[in-house]
Amino acid sequence: MLLHIPNVLTREQVAAMRAAIDAADWTDGRATVGSQGAQVKRNRQLPETSPVALEQGRIIQQALAAHPLFFAAALPLRVVPPLFNRYSGGETYGLHVDGAVRSVPGSPLRLRTDVSSTLFLCDPEDYDGGELVVVDTYGTHEVKLPAGDLILYPSTSLHRVEPVTRGERVCSFFWTQSLVRDDARRAMLFEMDQTIQKLRDRLGETEETVSLTGQYHNLLRMWSET
Ligand code: NI
């Protein structure tokens, strides 16, 4: 499931974040990938241990924790500290799949990457190219969102970032280990959750919405792993 989550950060939060990260020291993005990724990745990143990245990443994690749509879609168990990347002057990231396991810097923790997220920190008119292209069973999707918006997609999908031919593309990206590892199950739970909410908005709480809510939770209980 691909999902656009609008307004994860406000315009003011994006502006403050950009001021902080733009002034930091950026390094070659190949530092955080395996050998296949290194062959196709041409961009810059903030180092994983950069204090600025850690501080700004915490702001993103707080925003996500308060966002009901992110919770409903990702069903997060744990999230890797967000990273930051930028592309300009033709930089690109060719077709790849994200590594299945990531370690959390400075901790013994490892997590399985179930859900990938890209949070845009620039507006579409700031650059040409730079579309995130996600390939799934329904075809190829091109994504370019307003600053502050996030796209969430299964980490199992092949994806690429098109060359940036004008201006600069600045984003945060991170991975979530979900309580429900299977994308199809997660997508069904999300559909069910959203439909129950719409029914509740239309009819108020009824015997039927209570029953459906119970079934949602029983499915989540059956499928979740910690
Ligand atoms: Ni990737």
Side-chain angles (χ1 to χ4, degrees):
M1 177 179 66
L2 248 78
L3 184 72
H4 171 189
I5 302 185
N7 305 121
V8 170
L9 297 179
T10 63
R11 308 297 299 186
E12 293 72 29
Q13 283 178 307
V14 170
M17 191 165 287
R18 281 298 299 274
I21 64 174
D22 287 357
D25 288 328
W26 293 73
T27 54
D28 191 319
R30 280 171 281 194
T32 54
V33 283
S35 53
Q36 191 271 330
Q39 287 174 32
V40 292
K41 188 174 185 184
R42 297 286 176 274
N43 71 358
R44 284 153 294 142
Q45 276 178 206
L46 286 185
E48 287 178 295
T49 52
S50 147
V52 174
L54 291 169
E55 189 186 321
Q56 298 302 314
R58 274 193 290 274
I59 295 172
I60 293 172
Q61 285 188 297
Q62 281 164 12
L64 293 173
H67 209 296
L69 206 53
F70 180 80
F71 184 86
L75 297 170
L77 172 61
R78 48 180 86 98
V79 179
V80 183
L83 296 169
F84 297 86
N85 63 18
R86 59 202 308 145
Y87 296 77
S88 63
E91 285 176 320
T92 179
Y93 194 168
L95 198 65
H96 66 280
V97 71
D98 295 339
V101 177
R102 307 264 339 167
S103 28
V104 176
S107 112
L109 210 59
R110 282 173 192 206
L111 60 78
R112 188 185 62 236
T113 58
D114 294 321
V115 179
S116 297
S117 299
T118 297
L119 172 63
F120 287 77
L121 300 174
C122 55
D123 280 309
E125 52 272 22
D126 295 346
Y127 59 103
D128 290 335
E131 293 82 1
L132 171 67
V133 179
V134 181
V135 182
D136 72 11
T137 50
Y138 296 104
T140 296
H141 311 271
E142 284 196 1
V143 183
K144 197 169 184 175
L145 300 179
D149 287 15
L150 179 145
I151 185 83
L152 170 155
Y153 56 100
S155 300
T156 48
S157 20
L158 283 167
H159 55 278
R160 65 177 186 265
V161 177
E162 298 286 39
V164 173
T165 54
R166 178 191 63 84
E168 194 159 39
R169 177 194 194 268
V170 182
C171 290
S172 173
F173 62 103
F174 54 89
W175 296 274
T176 302
Q177 179 170 340
S178 178
L179 289 161
V180 177
R181 75 193 293 175
D182 180 63
D183 182 59
R185 287 179 174 178
R186 241 183 359 258
M188 283 168 61
L189 286 169
F190 178 69
E191 291 289 325
M192 191 174 177
D193 173 79
Q194 298 297 296
T195 306
I196 292 169
Q197 283 191 43
K198 282 182 199 146
L199 277 178
R200 192 178 284 131
D201 288 346
R202 196 189 306 167
L203 307 171
E205 197 72 271
T206 63
E207 207 175 304
E208 290 78 10
T209 57
V210 172
S211 167
L212 285 170
T213 303
Q215 290 169 52
Y216 169 87
H217 282 283
N218 289 337
L219 274 177
L220 180 55
R221 202 182 332 272
M222 186 182 291
W223 287 342
S224 62
E225 312 159 47
T226 56

